[in-house]
Amino acid sequence: MVREIKTNSRMRDCWDALNFVCCFEFWRMAVFWTLALVRSYLELSSRAFFYRIPHFYPRCSPPTLTSISETKAPTRPLCIITGATSGLGAASAHALSREGFYVVLAGRSSHLLSKTVEEIKKQDADAHLKAFQVDLSCFQSIINFKNAFERWLSNSNMHPSVQVLINNAGIFATSCRFTSEGYDQMMGTNYIGAFALTNLLLPLLRSSPVPSRIVNVTSFTHQCVSCTQVDEETLVGKYFSRSKQYRCAHIYEYSKFCLLLFSYELHRQLYLNDESHKVSVLYVFLNAVDPGFVETNIMREVPSYLSQLALMVIRLLGLLQSPENGVESIVDATLAPPEASGEYFFGGRGRTVNSSELSYDPELAEKLWTSSYKLFMKSQLVSKDVS
């Protein structure tokens, strides 16, 4: 009986893998994504070889903050990491707690959050950690997280501000699913949720007594995007749903492209264009991060035979990284000096490269901001009605 169940399970896995191989999305991932990854590494190598001057930023020490209570010792800077239950998010929490941050872990699973906190505590008993459950694809959940976080912060002895926000949460879905707001779940999690959370936490980032920073974790797959539509219908996924087959690769690329375009636009607004902000308060610096191909569970919805084959091929090319190695770019961007704002970190050791030409289009970025903000305001109104 057990043998029969295992046989049926294997046959089902083989059939799923065969169906996935026959769709265009698989070949787009297999060919385009591999070429995009190789291109990024080639640019990294060419910069060092042709220019002779590697473009990198050294890491700075995390700043210390004065406690609200004058009798207390200085407190640690506070860092929020989304998607902190596994993979790069968990690795970032490990790394930045060692650097001296008070790390707030945000993720969908309370069980996995507790497990991550326990693992970090085993390695470092002095780590300062706090976990909050949040689903980035649900605006009401983001609002609840923001309110719970502010209550916790007001009851602590820390400064009522945030020093670092790392938008790391992301999913890769192979089937069409919609959020409670009617958004494609992949777009909601990978981009719209990050946009909403950043805007909700921006007052806390701007009130920091030391320069604060936003780090958006994007992907080399953004290079495959040629679509210049950034209207509301496209952002919520309706444009892609016109196809009979779920365009999982296209939507993932597009979500990461939007996150990158948003990064550059926010950098322009906060760091370059806002002269009054430069005079009145400290800067909010913003960087984008591309960790490369990291061995995480993000491809868990891809048939196991194919995901294992992909990992084997990338490993043979020497481009596969563990989360512990892949997180280096995130730490680089977090601890980069103040002049490193609006950069695209890739390859570790503080190195940066150029993202796609389309991602630097300021007019497209402004249109994206306008469309995203309209969705953000609509979500706020719906949230108030529900409350």
Side-chain angles (χ1 to χ4, degrees), residues 295-327:
E295 189 171 3
T296 67
N297 64 353
I298 195 170
M299 304 293 284
R300 58 183 174 273
E301 293 190 28
V302 175
S304 57
Y305 290 132
L306 296 180
S307 59
Q308 291 302 317
L309 177 62
L311 290 175
M312 184 178 71
V313 171
I314 298 299
R315 188 179 287 111
L316 288 173
L317 291 173
L319 304 178
L320 183 65
Q321 302 178 85
S322 66
E324 291 72 28
N325 290 329
V327 78

Side-chain angles (χ1 to χ4, degrees), residues 167-271:
N167 288 312
N168 165 76
I171 63 169
F172 180 79
T174 57
S175 59
C176 184
R177 297 190 294 269
F178 293 98
T179 69
S180 56
E181 287 88 9
Y183 307 156
D184 176 87
Q185 190 179 31
M186 192 150 42
M187 281 300 302
T189 304
N190 297 2
Y191 171 64
I192 299 173
F195 181 92
L197 181 64
T198 301
N199 278 278
L200 289 171
L201 295 180
L202 207 49
L204 291 174
L205 287 155
R206 298 184 97 162
S207 63
S208 173
V210 297
S212 55
R213 191 177 295 274
I214 301 168
V215 177
N216 289 332
V217 181
T218 181
S219 166
F220 56 90
T221 61
H222 82 272
Q223 299 174 42
C224 304
V225 172
S226 57
C227 174
T228 56
Q229 290 183 255
V230 288
D231 54 279
E232 293 175 59
E233 186 179 68
T234 308
L235 290 182
V236 301
K238 291 180 180 178
Y239 170 80
F240 297 102
S241 64
R242 293 170 185 169
S243 175
K244 291 182 179 179
Q245 188 178 57
Y246 186 61
R247 302 172 69 184
C248 55
H250 284 81
I251 297 174
Y252 183 81
E253 298 161 6
Y254 184 74
S255 68
K256 291 299 183 178
F257 173 75
C258 287
L259 187 61
L260 181 58
L261 205 60
F262 160 60
S263 302
Y264 292 149
E265 177 60 21
L266 193 57
H267 163 70
R268 281 187 283 268
Q269 291 188 20
L270 296 179
Y271 186 67

Side-chain angles (χ1 to χ4, degrees), residues 131-193:
F132 289 91
Q133 188 175 10
V134 60
D135 181 358
L136 267 294
S137 69
C138 174
F139 189 79
Q140 187 59 53
S141 180
I142 297 172
I143 289 284
N144 293 342
F145 161 69
K146 180 238 183 190
N147 292 338
F149 170 74
E150 288 183 333
R151 284 195 298 270
W152 169 77
L153 191 60
S154 66
N155 293 329
S156 70
N157 287 314
M158 294 185 294
H159 192 276
S161 62
V162 174
Q163 281 64 60
V164 178
L165 169 62
I166 300 178
N167 288 312
N168 165 76
I171 63 169
F172 180 79
T174 57
S175 59
C176 184
R177 297 190 294 269
F178 293 98
T179 69
S180 56
E181 287 88 9
Y183 307 156
D184 176 87
Q185 190 179 31
M186 192 150 42
M187 281 300 302
T189 304
N190 297 2
Y191 171 64
I192 299 173

Side-chain angles (χ1 to χ4, degrees), residues 43-44 47 54-58 213-219 222 256 259-268 271-272 284-291 329-356 359-360:
E43 184 182 346
L44 205 63
R47 282 194 171 201
H55 198 248
F56 70 93
Y57 291 98
R213 191 177 295 274
I214 301 168
V215 177
N216 289 332
V217 181
T218 181
S219 166
H222 82 272
K256 291 299 183 178
L259 187 61
L260 181 58
L261 205 60
F262 160 60
S263 302
Y264 292 149
E265 177 60 21
L266 193 57
H267 163 70
R268 281 187 283 268
Y271 186 67
L272 297 181
V284 179
F285 301 107
L286 194 141
N287 288 315
V289 170
D290 182 352
S329 294
I330 296 177
V331 180
D332 289 341
T334 303
L335 298 179
E339 64 269 19
S341 184
E343 295 285 358
Y344 186 80
F345 282 81
F346 178 82
R349 288 183 285 172
R351 292 176 293 179
T352 62
V353 296
N354 291 326
S355 53
S356 70
S359 67
Y360 292 111

